[in-house]
Amino acid sequence: MPEKIILIRPHNIYNYNNYPPLSLISLGSRLKSAGYDVKIINTAFEKDHLKAIGKELEDTLLAGITLLTSEVPDTYDIVKFIKEHSKVPVVAGGWHCTLFPEQMASSRYIDYAVAGEGEEHLLKIADALKNGEKPEATIYQKEILDLDMLPLPEYDMDSNLERFITSSLTDKFPESVQKPIRWLPYESSRGCPSQCTFCINVVTNNMKYRKKSAPKVVDELEYIVKKFGITHVKMIEDNFFVDIKRARDICEGIIRKGIKITWDGESRCDYFNDRILNDETLDLCKRSGLVQLALGIESGSPHTLKIMKKGITPEQAENAVMKCNEHGIFARSSFMIEVPGEKSEDIKRTIMFINRLRKYPFFTCGIGTFRPYPKCELTEGLIKNGFLKEPQDLDSWINEDVIRLYTSAEYARPWQIDGKYAEAVSYYINMESAVRLGNHQISSIIDKLKNNLFIFFAKIRNRLMFYKFPLDKRIYAKFLTNFYEKLSLKDKKTGE
């Protein structure tokens, strides 16, 4: 009988659980290809997730848990429970662990911490434990993983997969897209070569671009479309178009094989030029099913863009939105305000820029206040100037106020020019774009009417740039919390 390994997805403080755990699926697929029996536990769908984990601990070789910073409190409860109720070794990984491997490894509840890509590292730990050996406590990524060597992701390792496939996305797609969609995320590459001063890729040495070959991508897409009846694929990666020849080959492969899907991906704004995303390539992408591109515009202020080292201009950003509009591709654009070093006029330029881009029918956007990703250049400056103090151990990250300070997209922070103003701007621009909750995600007619009313008020405020007396914002916060609580209860009842 093969050795059993459990992989755990913890709960986050924002109650978001919109995507299947792709990292655990990739880890689990690699372990299964090596002969291990793997069980994924998605805590969001368990009525009592500690009890569910406890049932799986017997005869288990190891328990793996991957976490974001927003998942630290539940992770702490989980690993504490495992160590207090068993002798099963605990392996931690994920973005938070990659940022703070020593902190994680030094916790009394964690045996091994993996920084970087975990597929081969976790397998090495499992093999060592199976052979009675003791691996090192902290394992760092030392070599570049060949993504073509990874096995096909076994999505159905997560028993909740169908819930994700049929769940509604906030994304705005053209009316021609088949609805309701059946979707899955897919990763064809990792890493981003850009130098942005706020980005986690820079500080975690994730700038080296790694990719699956075009034939492998096309074959895997064909397989998951047939097996799961998928109609839409989300390319979950930082920049799909770094290798434009590969991107074109993938699109041509999708068309040649007759794979009937729509898809969305991410691109830099300065790629919209004669060499990379020209009209011919955009037309090819559209014919292969592209319906949306995520664009990291970030600011309408040249001064702020220089602080961020984005390497783009507002003019390039508008050109990217315009080109998407010409080809009927939604431009889902991200923005950031209250970047350290920004001035009030920079924030106002961004608001006016967004208002101007609203003239393009295929433009939508999300905005947030600057989140101080640990270790990045801008965050290190805040620590140096005394605006921020970084927690020094896992126990200190349990505090939800600390987590929100680092991770919330709408949050008043001590270094900001006007935190309350920025928080209100973020809320109302996001509200107008319905990036938190779209009407297509709401089944109740009354709730849809309420949501439309909030969107209408937000649109007026954004055009007038008037954000005082945000009573409607406080009311909506309660509405959104109640909506997700009801949804969570429904999911748990369905899972009973």
Side-chain angles (χ1 to χ4, degrees):
M1 184 175 179
E3 297 278 357
K4 185 174 75 170
I5 294 174
I6 59 173
L7 300 178
I8 305 166
R9 180 184 190 170
H11 193 65
N12 66 75
I13 66 170
Y14 300 108
N15 292 318
Y16 292 155
N17 190 45
N18 303 328
Y19 285 66
L22 196 56
S23 59
L24 291 186
I25 289 168
S26 183
L27 291 168
S29 301
R30 181 66 184 98
L31 290 168
K32 285 191 72 174
S33 72
Y36 289 96
D37 177 28
V38 182
K39 165 84 172 181
I40 290 180
I41 300 175
N42 197 330
T43 63
F45 299 112
E46 300 290 344
K47 190 173 183 180
D48 184 340
H49 64 286
L50 294 181
K51 184 177 180 181
I53 291 168
K55 288 180 179 178
E56 298 293 338
L57 292 177
E58 188 176 354
D59 299 324
T60 291
L61 179 67
L62 68 85
I65 188 164
T66 181
L67 66 144
L68 302 171
T69 300
S70 60
E71 296 165 341
V72 169
D74 192 45
T75 295
Y76 188 87
D77 291 341
I78 290 169
V79 297
K80 182 174 183 287
F81 174 84
I82 292 173
K83 300 310 290 183
E84 289 180 348
H85 292 81
S86 75
K87 294 183 180 180
V88 175
V90 173
V91 184
W95 281 115
H96 187 84
C97 196
T98 299
L99 287 166
F100 302 103
E102 290 85 6
Q103 286 187 19
M104 297 296 288
S106 64
S107 170
R108 58 195 180 279
Y109 301 124
I110 293 172
D111 298 286
Y112 308 103
V114 175
E117 292 170 314
E119 285 87 356
E120 294 305 311
H121 291 324
L122 186 57
L123 178 58
K124 288 177 183 177
I125 293 174
D127 286 345
L129 292 173
K130 181 181 178 180
N131 295 326
E133 301 168 5
K134 187 173 177 60
E136 56 183 302
T138 308
I139 300 178
Y140 297 91
Q141 178 180 331
K142 297 184 178 73
E143 64 280 329
I144 298 300
L145 188 65
D146 182 355
L147 299 190
D148 270 346
M149 298 302 292
L150 291 178
L152 181 77
E154 296 191 33
Y155 288 87
D156 48 2
M157 291 175 62
D158 187 333
S159 60
N160 302 287
L161 185 65
E162 188 64 20
R163 297 183 183 190
F164 292 112
I165 288 175
T166 57
S167 65
S168 296
L169 295 164
T170 58
D171 307 60
K172 290 185 177 179
F173 297 141
E175 291 299 321
S176 59
V177 173
Q178 177 185 335
K179 297 180 181 70
I181 65 171
R182 290 178 56 83
W183 71 280
L184 277 177
Y186 176 79
E187 181 186 58
S188 79
S189 70
R190 294 176 183 175
C192 179
S194 300
Q195 301 278 343
C196 304
T197 55
F198 58 87
C199 184
I200 195 170
N201 286 318
V202 177
V203 301
T204 57
N205 296 317
N206 194 39
M207 296 171 64
K208 177 70 175 178
Y209 183 68
R210 293 93 70 205
K211 59 192 177 183
K212 294 179 182 178
S213 65
K216 181 178 176 66
V217 172
V218 174
D219 286 347
E220 291 190 341
L221 290 176
E222 183 179 37
Y223 175 81
I224 64 174
V225 167
K226 287 181 178 178
K227 181 171 182 179
F228 302 111
I230 301 306
T231 62
H232 183 79
V233 174
K234 293 192 71 65
M235 298 291 186
I236 305 298
E237 47 207 278
D238 293 299
N239 193 336
F240 181 76
F241 298 97
V242 173
D243 183 340
I244 192 60
K245 182 182 183 306
R246 185 193 78 118
R248 287 183 60 94
D249 287 347
I250 290 171
C251 293
E252 288 170 353
I254 291 172
I255 295 170
R256 184 176 61 255
K257 285 201 168 190
I259 303 173
K260 302 300 181 183
I261 55 167
T262 54
W263 62 278
D264 64 272
E266 185 166 341
S267 174
R268 283 181 58 87
C269 292
D270 54 348
Y271 283 9
F272 288 77
N273 56 47
D274 292 338
R275 294 184 302 102
I276 306 176
L277 283 177
N278 52 34
D279 286 323
E280 181 186 356
T281 300
L282 285 169
D283 178 64
L284 172 65
C285 291
K286 183 68 183 295
R287 285 189 289 113
S288 73
L290 177 64
V291 291
Q292 177 182 265
L293 281 176
L295 306 176
I297 297 177
E298 312 307 356
S299 179
S301 163
H303 172 243
T304 302
L305 290 170
K306 286 181 181 178
I307 293 173
M308 301 166 114
K309 295 183 181 177
K310 276 297 296 180
I312 64 170
T313 65
E315 291 74 24
Q316 287 174 318
E318 183 163 4
N319 176 65
V321 173
M322 180 182 70
K323 283 297 179 182
C324 284
N325 193 77
E326 289 176 1
H327 289 269
I329 299 167
F330 267 95
R332 187 179 174 100
S333 311
S334 63
F335 289 86
M336 193 182 302
I337 54 175
E338 286 288 7
V339 175
E342 222 181 15
K343 299 177 182 178
S344 295
E345 52 264 35
D346 294 316
I347 296 174
K348 290 177 181 176
R349 281 195 184 99
T350 294
I351 300 169
M352 290 188 289
F353 188 55
I354 291 171
N355 282 338
R356 187 167 85 237
L357 292 179
R358 296 278 188 195
K359 70 182 179 181
Y360 296 102
F362 285 83
F363 169 79
T364 184
C365 75
I367 189 170
T369 52
F370 167 75
R371 289 175 282 183
Y373 287 149
K375 312 296 183 185
C376 76
E377 182 179 327
L378 291 178
T379 301
E380 290 297 297
L382 292 172
I383 293 173
K384 182 179 179 181
N385 293 320
F387 287 111
L388 189 64
K389 186 176 180 181
E390 198 170 82
Q392 297 302 303
D393 53 45
L394 179 61
D395 293 42
S396 302
W397 282 102
I398 298 172
N399 188 314
E400 285 199 14
D401 289 334
V402 172
I403 292 174
R404 291 182 188 278
L405 177 68
Y406 276 88
T407 65
S408 176
E410 298 170 8
Y411 198 83
R413 296 176 170 94
W415 59 83
Q416 292 173 340
I417 302 164
D418 187 344
K420 291 295 182 185
Y421 177 79
E423 189 179 7
V425 169
S426 299
Y427 162 77
Y428 286 110
I429 289 177
N430 288 334
M431 188 71 244
E432 183 177 353
S433 294
V435 297
R436 291 287 186 273
L437 184 65
N439 281 332
H440 61 284
Q441 297 174 288
I442 304 172
S443 56
S444 165
I445 295 176
I446 294 176
D447 283 347
K448 282 184 181 181
L449 290 172
K450 290 178 181 177
N451 202 48
N452 279 331
L453 192 60
F454 288 120
I455 292 172
F456 174 73
F457 286 141
K459 183 175 182 178
I460 293 175
R461 283 182 176 274
N462 290 328
R463 297 304 177 275
L464 298 175
M465 294 175 65
F466 178 77
Y467 302 108
K468 292 182 178 180
F469 316 115
L471 177 61
D472 53 322
K473 174 178 174 291
R474 289 192 288 272
I475 297 172
Y476 183 76
K478 293 180 180 179
F479 167 77
L480 193 63
T481 298
N482 289 336
F483 176 84
Y484 278 115
E485 283 179 351
K486 287 187 289 186
L487 200 62
S488 179
L489 285 172
K490 182 181 177 181
D491 282 336
K492 288 183 177 180
K493 286 180 180 179
T494 304
E496 289 179 355

